[in-house]
Amino acid sequence: MGWKTLDDMDLNGKRVLTRVDINVPVEDGRVTDATRIERIAPTIADIRARGGSPVLLAHFGRPKGKPVPEMSLEPLVPALETAFGCPVSFVERPSRDWIDSQPQDAVILVENTRFTPMEEANDPQMAQFLASLGDVFCNDAFSAAHRAHASTTGVAHLLPSCAGRLMQAELSALEAALSNPERPVGAVVGGAKVSTKLDLLHNLVKKIDVLVIGGGMANTFLAAQGARLGASLQEADLHDTARDILAEAKAAGCTVILPVDGRVARKFEAGAAHEIVTLNADTVLADDQMVLDAGDASAAMITATFATLKTLIWNGPLGAFEISPFDTATVATARAAANLTVSGQLVTVAGGGDTVAALNQAGVAENFTYISTAGGAFLEWMEGKELPGVAALMQ
Ligand code: AMP
């Protein structure tokens, strides 16, 4: 902890500057998936119930510091009104006088914060200007917390600040997963490449008890031990790094689990003919063979491991889950983790990259303890990095 929540703030009669993530998909001016908007609705309702009036700050797309009409937030107003159940007033160029002229129960939406380069530069003048628009700052955009921008950190240093309900849920889940977990704690780290997960692996092996490595990444670890894996996705230049990570894990007392078998095919396509092949340091595949998923023995071993854990962090699939049947191990193990969660034996926290899509495919999204939709910020937290947007709430 160390950060305040809405419960700690006096909001009555206050204009509450609220940083949100409403970067939703829009087609032909209509919101096609309102999930991100729905997730901030409890924060908006709570601020209003406490007598505060939310002044929403958000970015949309990547306008690169210039006004881009297609990236205006104005078309989102109807979707916000539906989710919040109240009128929302949009303002392109806000001033405190204009805000004070609005009814006390108004919800105000300010135009895209990234329409000026001052936002991403965390310009002190922009932070001052934003701070002048409110009395209290509430940050509910965990997904933007790894960026030090004027609307995420600059303003937090200038006003009494707190986490919104979504940020609070996200931070509580992440703290329960890694800062202060019930042990034993394990992690599944899968996905395509070791190179994008180096910081994650180095940090996790120091903090957790069991690390399950899957996906294309596992190929690199197996190859580093001598396996010859044909045309499998792997990073030959990272064999030393993979061995270093295994040594670090050993020194820290973290057990590493690599696949003991794999679903192997000659074509990277749905329904490709495949066989299950034992994987170890002596495995030699033909030049055109690819390991596209963990095999059934690996899935059984991973599932048995989950039953020994109290906490599980999940990032990345165990195989090329987009093409059937190479989603088999991901789906089977995700379902096992979900069942343990439902029966109260396991706390499961997942996020980053393709993880949400993979878990949705397994149909378990509802049953994990927490699934973060915050991609980059989730990974940076798991890498042990300080998130400026969270640090600014600790003042
Ligand atoms: P990431 O974004 O790093 O989490 O990687 C996810 C991607 O890795 C997905 O698109 C998967 O299809 C891919 N992937 C996982 N395992 C394999 C594998 N054994 N061979 C090829 N691609 C894989």
Side-chain angles (χ1 to χ4, degrees), residues 190-193 196-197 215-216 219 233 268 291-292 316-317 319-322 354:
K193 292 184 170 178
T196 58
K197 310 236 165 134
N219 298 336
L233 178 67
F268 189 88
V291 184
L292 292 181
F321 75 97
E322 300 93 337
D354 276 341

Side-chain angles (χ1 to χ4, degrees), residues 13 34 65-66 93 115 167 173 195 202 215 220-221 224 239 275 277 311-312 330 355 359 379-380:
K66 289 192 294 287
R93 291 174 185 275
F115 277 4
M167 171 80 92
S195 51
H202 285 302
T220 301
F221 279 86
H239 287 179
E275 58 187 311
V277 173
T311 305
L312 179 67
T330 302
T355 308
L359 296 181
L379 273 181
E380 289 199 19

Side-chain angles (χ1 to χ4, degrees), residues 334-356:
R335 288 193 179 150
N339 289 340
L340 289 165
T341 309
V342 170
S343 65
Q345 296 172 70
L346 190 64
V347 170
T348 40
V349 177
D354 276 341
T355 308
V356 182

Side-chain angles (χ1 to χ4, degrees), residues 140-165:
D140 212 24
F142 178 79
S143 54
H146 57 318
R147 307 272 181 244
H149 293 168
S151 73
T152 60
T153 63
V155 67
H157 292 294
L158 301 173
L159 288 176
S161 298
C162 71
R165 293 303 180 204

Side-chain angles (χ1 to χ4, degrees), residues 128 144 211 289 302 366:
Q128 283 287 356
L211 172 65
Q289 282 186 306
I302 293 167
E366 299 293 305

